[in-house]
Amino acid sequence: MDSSAIAPPAAPARTPNVTDYDTARAAFSWDEARDALDGLPGGGLNICHEAVDRHAHGTRREHTAIRWLGRRSSRRDISYGELAELTSRFASVLDDLGVGREERVFALAGRIPELYVAALGTLKRGAVFCPLFSAFGPEPIAQRLELGDARVLVTTPRLYTRKVAALRERLPGLRHVLVACRPGEAPPEGTRDLAELLAMADPQRPVEPTRPEDWALLHFTSGTTGRPKGAQHAHEAVVVHHASGRMALDLHPEDVYWCTADPGWVTGTSYGIIAPLCSGATMLVDEAEFDAERWYGILADERVNVWYTAPTALRMLMRIGAEPLAGHDLGALRFIASVGEPLNPEVVVWTDQLYHRPAHDNWWQTETGGIMIANLACREIRPGSMGLALPGIDAAVVDRARDGTVRVIDEPGVEGELALRAGWPSMFRGYLDQPELYARAFAHGWYLTGDLVRRDADGFFWFVGRRDDVIKTAGHLIGPFEVESVLMEHEAVAEAGVFGIPDEVAGQIVKAQVCLNPGVAWTPELQRELLGFARSRLGPAVAPRHIGVIDDLPKTRSGKIMRRLLRARDLGLPEGDVSTLENGTP
Ligand code: AMP
């Protein structure tokens, strides 16, 4: 073993689900993974049944499914039995509203219990669940509701009033807005009180007999150009959620599990709702935002066994230092995993030193629906590596030529694009209304991920970067085009180019360069105004943190903004290949 590798514990607190990687890989079959679930009579499959009803009808009825910790001191435990009834009620509300199978139910809310009930109840109904990030501004919200043809939106009175009310005219298909009111709060005009509807609904509404291929989830993701892409997932994805939860997160039914990802993004759904419940564990939901003292308190007091978090959060904890940990006993914590952006080796080493458990990086993306590559509990960690392809997943490094041919690179250590052999159960089934884009994501039986990686001689994958210009900031994927479009709506701006610049904590932050309209002068006031304009339209999660001015945007001869060049110039880096630059050499 390499000297920098971190060995798995010689005497683990609990025997991992996978004790030997090679054996598990050789023995693995998706049919067996399917058999580990219940299924529905006649070959049906439904995510909510596997996550909730299966346990509620069995011996785990009284077991706590969700432990919700309110922003202040409130808390609520929801058993599997209660969750089965609540989700039936939500499904029955959808019936009463005339929402049919595969119609879209969106959620825009913080981490409140109603969000989890809505997600699972939608799946129970056989409708499609689509989460939105509550820190989105009105523009990304409107665009996604429009593209997804939202029929129902579940939100809160505050978010509705601030972000959605003014958009209603743009959204004629959005028939019902259901709001989760706090005590004493009234539903705003144009919305209905969710609690009232739930109280009148049927707590025994059975699971819709969905088929494995039926559409279940819609997750928007971003590309370099064009509108957000709606990745469609089928109920069959639950096979991967369950299997990868066991293999990559080492989830056991007795575990208390905490995923800190927001349910507005894919991790917060696949692993912040579905996977832990499928395994019968207790999942924690913390309504509050990041706070080191609070987080250590939760890890210690709630006796968290498995913690799934993100590099940005770990870097923030590392920066704050060990002090807030004092007095908190993390003795119950058995396994730490991290996802979403590169996890720097120093953070892995630091987690190992401070918590006596290293963070296990893993890799996946919206399109893959579940974890594909992971550092496993039974194997050493090579800090900086994303780990090994999970059993059942065939991953390769490939070279994609301009003519579309794909060549698998067998030599270790050579950089190329990460490709996955198509056909795993949680593979996305389409980009909503963009079949050509979907077709272009595959070649010769491989799904091409857009990520550049290297694989070492032992099969460990190492992240290198993205092939395209998307920006990962604090784990959130941002499409530059979406930001540029909004900036160009400002009367002072003629054109905008958006790219990511390195940031010690968030990995990258969003920066824009704008060209001004003739006669407009660049002043600190205009800069402030543009920052505020972008923030109010896009929300703090998406808006640029820096905006600069430039005379001309570098473009290819076909008119595409060369964001890489903008970024290189901004950072004073080598400019690379500029042969396609429209206005010749700079
Ligand atoms: P999303 O679809 O928003 O989940 O973003 C997926 C992208 O995040 C991937 O294509 C990668 O570029 C990046 N990503 C996810 N996990 C990792 C990881 N462990 N290391 C580096 N990048 C990652």
Side-chain angles (χ1 to χ4, degrees), residues 92-105:
S92 144
V93 167
L94 295 182
D95 292 333
D96 295 343
L97 296 175
V99 176
R101 273 169 84 148
E102 300 203 349
E103 286 199 280
R104 266 74 72 203
V105 176

Side-chain angles (χ1 to χ4, degrees), residues 220-221 265-267 311 338-343 361-367 386 449-451 463 465-466 470 472 475-477:
F220 280 96
T221 183
W265 301 91
V266 70
T267 306
S338 155
V339 73
E341 27 162 346
L343 180 65
D361 190 17
N362 59 52
W363 179 96
W364 61 290
Q365 56 182 194
T366 305
E367 287 85 345
M386 308 188 293
T449 67
D451 277 10
F463 184 77
R466 285 285 307 180
V470 292
K472 258 276 155 138
H476 305 146
L477 197 72

Side-chain angles (χ1 to χ4, degrees), residues 179-305:
V179 288
C181 299
R182 275 184 279 183
E185 211 174 19
E189 202 190 318
T191 71
R192 299 180 71 179
D193 185 347
L194 176 60
E196 226 168 68
L197 294 172
L198 287 173
M200 294 183 307
D202 176 7
Q204 305 301 332
R205 201 266 188 215
V207 170
E208 190 75 9
T210 45
R211 314 288 309 167
E213 276 309 311
D214 286 350
W215 186 15
L217 298 162
L218 174 64
H219 286 293
F220 280 96
T221 183
S222 300
T224 307
T225 54
R227 53 190 162 106
K229 302 181 279 185
Q232 299 172 279
H233 288 281
H235 278 274
E236 202 194 11
V238 70
V239 178
V240 170
H241 297 145
H242 179 242
S244 60
R246 292 189 74 252
M247 296 189 291
L249 303 179
D250 198 37
L251 275 169
H252 289 69
E254 303 75 27
D255 282 337
V256 174
Y257 164 84
W258 187 25
C259 170
T260 61
D262 192 275
W265 301 91
V266 70
T267 306
T269 307
S270 295
Y271 296 97
I273 306 179
I274 301 169
L277 297 179
C278 280
S279 73
T282 294
M283 64 173 231
L284 282 179
V285 174
D286 181 28
E287 190 191 16
E289 296 311 321
F290 173 84
D291 174 273
E293 182 79 40
R294 181 178 173 101
W295 277 31
Y296 287 136
I298 290 173
L299 288 167
D301 301 346
E302 304 300 334
R303 314 286 303 151
V304 173
N305 307 115

Side-chain angles (χ1 to χ4, degrees), residues 218-447:
L218 174 64
H219 286 293
F220 280 96
T221 183
S222 300
T224 307
T225 54
R227 53 190 162 106
K229 302 181 279 185
Q232 299 172 279
H233 288 281
H235 278 274
E236 202 194 11
V238 70
V239 178
V240 170
H241 297 145
H242 179 242
S244 60
R246 292 189 74 252
M247 296 189 291
L249 303 179
D250 198 37
L251 275 169
H252 289 69
E254 303 75 27
D255 282 337
V256 174
Y257 164 84
W258 187 25
C259 170
T260 61
D262 192 275
W265 301 91
V266 70
T267 306
T269 307
S270 295
Y271 296 97
I273 306 179
I274 301 169
L277 297 179
C278 280
S279 73
T282 294
M283 64 173 231
L284 282 179
V285 174
D286 181 28
E287 190 191 16
E289 296 311 321
F290 173 84
D291 174 273
E293 182 79 40
R294 181 178 173 101
W295 277 31
Y296 287 136
I298 290 173
L299 288 167
D301 301 346
E302 304 300 334
R303 314 286 303 151
V304 173
N305 307 115
V306 178
W307 179 30
Y308 195 22
T309 190
T312 294
L314 292 172
R315 284 191 290 264
M316 290 200 285
L317 289 168
M318 184 168 157
R319 180 177 259 209
I320 292 166
E323 206 178 303
L325 183 60
H328 296 297
D329 171 11
L330 303 194
L333 188 59
R334 189 180 76 243
F335 192 76
I336 308 176
S338 155
V339 73
E341 27 162 346
L343 180 65
N344 17 346
E346 346 26 306
V347 179
V348 179
V349 172
W350 172 81
T351 50
D352 189 39
Q353 285 165 354
L354 191 69
Y355 308 136
H356 310 295
R357 286 142 201 98
H360 295 71
D361 190 17
N362 59 52
W363 179 96
W364 61 290
Q365 56 182 194
T366 305
E367 287 85 345
T368 70
I371 300 169
M372 300 282 108
I373 292 175
N375 285 284
L376 302 180
C378 65
R379 285 295 295 253
E380 84 275 19
I381 294 179
R382 303 183 179 182
S385 159
M386 308 188 293
L388 300 157
L390 278 192
I393 300 301
D394 192 4
V397 183
V398 304
D399 182 31
R400 196 189 326 183
R402 270 181 199 273
D403 65 2
T405 51
V406 160
R407 180 182 67 88
V408 173
I409 302 172
D410 286 321
E411 312 85 283
V414 178
E415 184 181 314
E417 183 168 2
L418 175 62
L420 304 167
R421 175 68 66 195
W424 70 96
S426 67
M427 187 177 88
F428 70 134
R429 300 300 205 268
Y431 284 126
L432 185 60
D433 301 330
Q434 293 179 290
E436 322 75 44
L437 201 61
Y438 184 67
R440 279 213 301 275
F442 296 85
H444 309 291
W446 292 101
Y447 164 63

